[in-house]
Amino acid sequence: MTGLPAQIDVVIVGGGFAGCATAWALRTRGIDAVVVEREPALGRYASGRGAGLGRQLAEDDATTALTVRGAELLRGELADAWSPTGGILSFDDAAHAERYFARAARFDVGVEVLSRAGVCARWPQIAGLPTERALLVPSDGVIDTRRLLAHFAEHATIAFDAGVTSIEPGGRGARVATVRGAIEARVVVDASGAWAGALTGDPALAAITRNLFLLEATPPAGAPFLWHLGRDEMYVRASGASVLASACDETREPATDAKPDPDRARELTALYARVAPALAAVPHLAQWACQRSFTPDRQMRLGRDPARPWLVWAAALGGHGATSSAAVGERVASAVSDALT
């Protein structure tokens, strides 16, 4: 996009999963919107740095409702960005596993209960994982995050290098000032990730940095991704001929372009020395950091702002952005539609 419109129905701030999926969903409703992105490309922060795990069973029902619907769309009209690998959730606490099993039943997500031996058969490199019980979710998968973003943005109007400097109420709704000029919009969608709320004077989200690694190890053929939800939380998945891994570290810091932490590489090696000796000594081909954002209650902030009729939120996806994105776009687009009427 060369020039910014002086007026438009909807301005979406942020070109990550939340913003691009909202533009995609608005397009199906025939609503005119422009995405303003401060970077020269989409998904330069959280959306472009995640592991792409299409995990449907989340920590709570509200999030699971979105991840289940998002995965349904990924298996359907967005299938070019989806690999149907299945996923394993491993637990060192049987009661914790039972809560996830019950959640799967509530959301009609098919699962198979696995023993520790069943987990090791699929990921023999991680034979020391302290698994009491595990759930295999055959309908889970892996997401090509770049392809998914490209699909959402294919027919969207996007202004790159258009960082927003202020958002003020006025005119038909709000005035969005960017480094490339100002736009008057009836509705503004704040989809700016860890920075959400900064330009509207709202409390900052909790920004949590996590490190990810690409290991010089051969994944088992056809293996589902494995996410251990226990004291030594970690995940692994195949990434081509290598293994993508994280020890699920969490460091709270201000919203930023997250940088990898060398100490986290040593911690991953120490973890693998306990639970996956076959991976402890393999070289790390790459390391990067991804910042996830959360509200205090760890619920996504989606929908109309109660005090400002021109503001709609699409923020705090909490690490579930890739899987839930299409469903988030649907929900936020519905809120935008309501705000325009």
Side-chain angles (χ1 to χ4, degrees):
M1 181 179 187
T2 54
L4 297 179
Q7 294 184 335
I8 198 167
D9 282 341
V10 184
V11 170
I12 301 169
V13 182
F17 280 127
C20 290
T22 297
W24 166 76
L26 286 172
R27 187 168 64 247
T28 66
R29 294 168 175 259
I31 295 174
D32 196 19
V34 61
V35 178
V36 290
E37 166 56 46
R38 67 179 179 179
E39 298 293 338
L42 299 173
R44 292 287 294 269
Y45 298 101
S47 296
R49 302 185 189 182
L53 301 182
R55 171 184 156 192
Q56 294 173 87
L57 298 177
E59 299 82 7
D60 57 74
D61 283 8
T63 304
T64 298
L66 290 161
T67 49
V68 168
R69 171 58 179 163
E72 178 186 7
L73 290 164
L74 280 160
R75 293 191 299 267
E77 63 186 277
L78 302 171
D80 60 335
W82 178 263
S83 296
T85 62
I88 296 172
L89 302 181
S90 165
F91 304 86
D92 55 19
D93 180 345
H96 193 191
E98 191 59 36
R99 290 191 289 273
Y100 273 75
F101 187 84
R103 186 168 296 123
R106 286 196 295 276
F107 286 92
D108 197 26
V109 175
V111 299
E112 301 173 21
V113 177
L114 292 181
S115 65
R116 183 173 180 275
V119 175
C120 292
R122 290 162 174 83
W123 276 94
Q125 294 130 309
I126 313 181
L129 200 63
T131 299
E132 285 294 323
R133 187 171 299 175
L135 302 179
L136 172 65
V137 187
S139 58
D140 276 354
V142 169
I143 302 164
D144 184 329
T145 55
R146 293 188 182 278
R147 185 170 293 178
L148 180 58
L149 272 174
H151 183 99
F152 286 147
E154 185 177 2
H155 300 294
T157 302
I158 302 173
F160 293 104
D161 298 310
V164 176
T165 57
S166 66
I167 303 173
E168 300 291 343
R172 301 186 303 163
R175 181 179 184 273
V176 180
T178 81
V179 296
R180 291 180 50 186
I183 312 172
E184 286 192 5
R186 293 174 62 191
V187 174
V188 176
V189 177
D190 191 340
S192 56
W195 291 267
L199 292 168
T200 52
D202 291 273
L205 298 175
I208 309 294
T209 297
R210 171 169 290 174
N211 284 252
L212 294 86
F213 301 84
L214 193 64
L215 308 181
E216 191 178 287
T218 302
F225 71 75
L226 168 61
W227 197 321
H228 182 65
L229 295 168
R231 186 185 63 181
D232 289 324
E233 186 176 0
M234 55 165 286
Y235 59 69
V236 290
R237 76 164 177 87
S239 180
S242 305
V243 171
L244 190 157
S246 176
C248 297
D249 55 292
E250 294 195 349
T251 301
R252 182 164 180 169
E253 55 187 345
T256 187
D257 180 2
K259 304 299 182 186
D261 182 349
D263 287 340
R264 299 305 187 180
R266 291 187 281 272
E267 291 171 6
L268 182 73
T269 299
L271 170 63
Y272 281 163
R274 298 196 303 274
V275 305
L279 297 177
V282 302
H284 295 175
L285 300 174
Q287 178 183 355
W288 65 99
C290 176
Q291 197 168 63
R292 301 162 301 135
S293 55
F294 299 86
T295 59
D297 63 0
R298 296 218 161 193
Q299 297 298 299
M300 295 186 191
R301 184 178 292 173
L302 309 176
R304 299 181 68 178
D305 185 89
R308 290 160 288 192
W310 50 268
L311 180 61
V312 174
W313 295 99
L317 305 192
H320 292 285
T323 311
S324 69
S325 56
V328 166
E330 289 181 330
R331 184 171 297 185
V332 176
S334 179
V336 170
S337 182
D338 290 344
L340 290 172
T341 57

